[in-house]
């Protein structure tokens, strides 16, 4: 450096370039403080932000697996307004050190080692139901997600706000999916879930997914069936414009032996009178313009007598009368 010497005191530094005299002694910049340092980091990438240091044009961040910083796992130089990000690192305890960098390139005093505890696993499960932003017209809603291999269970929360301060449903001992919830009033909600490790450690929450529960169309009340000689007419209350209806008639109360299963735009249906005697079961539901189908109406029944049996009974009664009349 031009055979020049510069005397440096503790806490000072200089920049030496080939063929030029050394810069005058400069006080080393202090290290920046870590902003919002966490007791444990549960998500990747790791992100660190640093408080501003006057005169600093950047910061050097070093992450090591040991406090002596011999086993460095990551090193970055970032601008003062930019975070340092580490895309991948295994679960464990690390140590971080930061230095300020001046405009001349002189690096300042290193910070004390900052412990960084990382435990990303078990990761939050991928959610499949309910779909984010979807509207559901049901009183019972199923929640489903993909299983996490190293999770022993899951914790679920449903809230009316995005920050989950007003929790409407909370369950932390779920081991099987899908999980059904039937005690939620019709409203808008956010849903999140996290994995629980075998040792009881709870991983990071998933992002909150919004969904809405809307009342389904009410069941249209039906009127008593009008019995004709060759046909039967069933009517029900009009549920309003753009509504259609789902009509079913069966031979059993469980509607497994179905006779009719039709979608209708009108509020009545006329069917051929069944030829067989017995009890018949009918029900109807409403379907709104968006295709949401409500609950079926309470089941109604009508009975048909065997016409042959009735005619035989009439003949028997007539015969008895003939015998008794002289």
């Amino acid at each position: 450096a031009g055979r020049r010497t510069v005397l440096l005191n503790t806490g000072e530094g200089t920049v030496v370039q080939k063929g030029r005299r050394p810069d005058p002694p400069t006080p080393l910049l202090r290290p920046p403080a870590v902003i919002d340092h966490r007791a444990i980091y549960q998500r990747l990438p790791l992100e660190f932000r640093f408080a501003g240091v006057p005169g600093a044009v950047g910061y050097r961040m070093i992450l090591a697996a040991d406090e002596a910083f011999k086993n460095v796992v990551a090193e970055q130089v970032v601008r003062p307004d930019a975070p340092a990000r580490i895309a991948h690192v295994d679960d464990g305890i690390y140590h971080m050190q930061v230095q300020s960098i001046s405009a001349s390139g002189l690096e300042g005093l290193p910070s004390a080692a900052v412990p960084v505890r990382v435990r990303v696993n078990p990761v939050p499960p991928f959610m499949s139901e309910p779909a984010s932003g979807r509207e559901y017209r049901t009183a019972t809603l199923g929640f489903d997600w993909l299983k996490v291999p190293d999770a022993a269970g899951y914790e679920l929360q449903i809230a009316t706000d995005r920050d989950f301060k007003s929790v409407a449903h909370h369950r932390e001992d779920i081991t099987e999916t899908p999980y059904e919830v039937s005690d939620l009033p019709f409203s808008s909600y956010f849903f999140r879930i996290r994995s629980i490790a075998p040792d009881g450690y709870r991983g990071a929450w998933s992002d909150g997914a919004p969904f809405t529960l809307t009342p389904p169309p009410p069941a249209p009340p039906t009127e008593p069936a009008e019995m004709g000689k060759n046909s039967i007419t069933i009517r029900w209350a009009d549920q309003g414009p753009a509504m259609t209806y789902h009509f079913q008639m069966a031979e059993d109360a469980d509607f497994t032996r179905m006779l009719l299963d039709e979608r209708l735009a009108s509020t009545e249906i006329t069917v051929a009178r069944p030829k067989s005697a017995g009890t018949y079961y009918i029900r109807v539901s409403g379907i709104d313009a968006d295709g949401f189908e409500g609950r079926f109406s309470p089941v109604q029944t009508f009975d048909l007598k065997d016409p042959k049996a009735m005619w035989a009974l009439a003949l028997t009664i007539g015969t008895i009368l003939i015998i008794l009349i002289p």
Side-chain angles (χ1 to χ4, degrees), residues 148-160:
V148 177
D150 52 351
Y154 306 94
E155 182 177 4
L156 175 145
Q157 283 187 344
I158 303 170
T160 56

Side-chain angles (χ1 to χ4, degrees), residues 88-299:
H88 177 74
V89 68
D90 295 331
D91 288 355
I93 298 177
Y94 301 87
H95 301 274
M96 180 173 60
Q97 194 175 67
V98 192
Q99 294 172 275
S100 298
I101 304 174
S102 68
S104 64
L106 186 64
E107 299 191 7
L109 298 169
S111 68
V114 178
V116 176
R117 183 186 176 195
V118 179
R119 186 163 182 182
V120 175
N121 297 292
V123 297
F126 290 109
M127 299 178 292
S128 55
E129 286 291 336
S132 180
R134 185 174 171 183
E135 179 182 2
Y136 294 85
R137 299 207 173 188
T138 179
T140 300
L141 185 61
F143 293 77
D144 205 358
W145 52 89
L146 300 185
K147 291 185 177 181
V148 177
D150 52 351
Y154 306 94
E155 182 177 4
L156 175 145
Q157 283 187 344
I158 303 170
T160 56
D161 64 307
R162 190 180 297 274
D163 297 326
F164 286 83
K165 294 181 179 179
S166 299
V167 176
H169 185 91
H170 183 199
R171 182 74 179 271
E172 54 184 356
D173 57 351
I174 303 172
T175 57
E176 298 293 334
T177 59
Y179 173 73
E180 288 192 346
V181 178
S182 58
D183 60 350
L184 294 175
F186 295 113
S187 184
S188 295
Y189 296 96
F190 294 87
F191 153 61
R192 68 180 182 179
I193 191 169
R194 64 179 174 181
S195 302
I196 303 176
D199 63 359
Y201 171 76
R202 299 171 190 271
W205 286 107
S206 66
D207 293 334
F211 68 94
T212 302
L213 290 181
T214 303
T222 56
E223 300 175 3
E226 293 184 8
M227 312 294 292
K229 182 178 180 180
N230 298 315
S231 64
I232 300 173
T233 300
I234 300 101
R235 296 185 177 88
W236 52 87
D238 191 341
Q239 300 294 94
M243 290 290 293
T244 56
Y245 304 94
H246 184 189
F247 175 82
Q248 289 184 335
M249 185 170 75
E251 293 179 318
D252 64 311
D254 295 327
F255 287 80
T256 58
R257 301 197 304 273
M258 197 77 67
L259 296 175
L260 280 174
D261 188 356
E262 296 189 14
R263 264 65 171 177
L264 303 166
S266 62
T267 57
E268 68 175 56
I269 185 172
T270 298
V271 300
R273 185 185 181 103
K275 296 181 179 180
S276 301
T279 301
Y280 294 87
Y281 302 82
I282 59 173
R283 64 184 182 181
V284 64
S285 65
I287 306 172
D288 67 13
D290 296 325
F292 288 105
E293 182 173 354
R295 293 178 292 110
F296 277 104
S297 62
V299 177

Side-chain angles (χ1 to χ4, degrees), residues 29-35 37 48-51 53 56 58-63 69 75-79 82 84 95-101 107-114 116:
L29 295 177
R30 60 179 174 82
V34 181
I35 300 175
H37 179 258
F48 306 101
R49 292 184 178 273
F50 310 106
V53 174
Y59 305 117
R60 181 180 297 276
M61 184 279 301
I62 301 173
L63 190 71
F69 289 87
E75 184 173 357
Q76 290 184 15
V77 174
V78 297
R79 301 189 312 272
H95 301 274
M96 180 173 60
Q97 194 175 67
V98 192
Q99 294 172 275
S100 298
I101 304 174
E107 299 191 7
L109 298 169
S111 68
V114 178
V116 176

